[in-house]
Amino acid sequence: MIFSGQRPHRRTVSTCLLAAALVAGLGGAVAPVSATPAHTSGPRPTVVLVHGVFADASGWYQTIAALQKAGYPVIAPANPLRDLDSDTAYVSSVLDSIDGPVILVGHSYGGEVITNAARGHTNVKALVYVAAFAPHQGESALQLAGKYPGSKLPDALITRDYPLPDGSTGKDGYIDPAKFREVFAADLPSSQTRLMAAAQRPGSVDGLAAPSGAPAWKDLPSWYVIPGSDNVIPAAAQRYMAQRAHSRTVEVKGASHVVMMSRPDIVVRQIHSAHQATR
């Protein structure tokens, strides 16, 4: 692992192919958490874990288990994965329902959602990005996905039409099951990734070209977990976003896009660090 960082300051099918390079995380749980933070005095913040595209909240299971063992209340809501505005509004409504401090965590596209959903919530004390997007105002996930080379996702994308309420058609993106493990979760067993590929939740790619709003990371401290062998969002893109946000960063050598599944211990440590620094 390489630790870096500093004290934080307070749309056509081709488009779909690009948009898919923004996506993130799927369910299932494997590796045991070998290092759970020790209990410390005082109430714990609620940890809200937001998954990304090709994903559901089960991808957080190992993280949840470790956090609960350490005394943290945890909520892992179902991200709708329809478009940035409605996904943001949904996660914001979850935050509205929580009394007390919150640490908000996002994986991949979920990072873009938390960047927007945290605004206006004074109880959100920290943001934690896990193989995630952290856009600036006006940026889209499409722009960030194309900023650096290295993603294997565009060549593995399958799209399917789905009906929209106004009678038009949207595009849902899936990863080709034959390429799923290599692209998405190369450090997990193939027996597990076959199940993940079959159960993957698609995400609408049409909304991913929408510009992001004012980023919450400009006003909130942030932490970042960067998988060194991410084949969805290149590590270079994540380093760029982390540095810009002045995030406290840990890079996990050899880890895939689903680092919260293969190395949940690292994710838990970053969340705990965020709590310790902001309580």
Side-chain angles (χ1 to χ4, degrees), residues 11-13 15-16 19-20 22 81-84 142 159-162 164 168-173 203-211:
R11 238 213 291 209
T12 115
V13 169
T15 296
C16 294
L22 323 172
L81 305 180
R82 294 297 81 187
D83 61 70
L84 181 58
L142 284 174
T159 60
R160 297 187 175 101
D161 292 345
Y162 72 94
L164 294 170
S168 62
T169 299
K171 292 281 185 184
D172 261 342
S204 171
V205 298
D206 294 331
L208 296 176

Side-chain angles (χ1 to χ4, degrees), residues 54-112:
F54 308 143
D56 62 26
S58 65
W60 295 112
Y61 279 175
Q62 288 280 64
T63 304
I64 292 168
L67 289 170
Q68 289 178 335
K69 183 177 180 180
Y72 291 93
V74 184
I75 299 175
N79 188 354
L81 305 180
R82 294 297 81 187
D83 61 70
L84 181 58
D85 287 345
S86 62
D87 295 343
T88 295
Y90 178 75
V91 172
S92 180
S93 73
V94 172
L95 299 175
D96 285 336
S97 72
I98 300 171
D99 292 326
V102 170
I103 293 175
L104 190 52
V105 185
H107 176 237
S108 195
Y109 167 69
E112 186 171 13

Side-chain angles (χ1 to χ4, degrees), residues 219-240:
D219 301 308
L220 289 170
S222 61
W223 281 254
Y224 225 110
V225 180
I226 302 175
S229 297
D230 195 327
N231 289 328
V232 177
I233 306 173
Q238 296 181 52
R239 294 183 195 112
Y240 166 78

Side-chain angles (χ1 to χ4, degrees), residues 2-4 106 108 111 127-135 144 217 222-227 233-235 237-252 266-267 270-271:
I2 302 170
F3 289 85
S4 63
S108 195
L127 304 173
V128 180
Y129 294 94
V130 179
F133 287 98
L144 291 168
W217 51 255
S222 61
W223 281 254
Y224 225 110
V225 180
I226 302 175
I233 306 173
Q238 296 181 52
R239 294 183 195 112
Y240 166 78
M241 291 181 283
Q243 291 168 7
R244 182 175 62 181
H246 303 289
S247 302
R248 292 178 176 175
T249 303
V250 57
E251 185 162 334
V252 189
I266 303 300
V267 174
Q270 285 290 75
I271 293 169

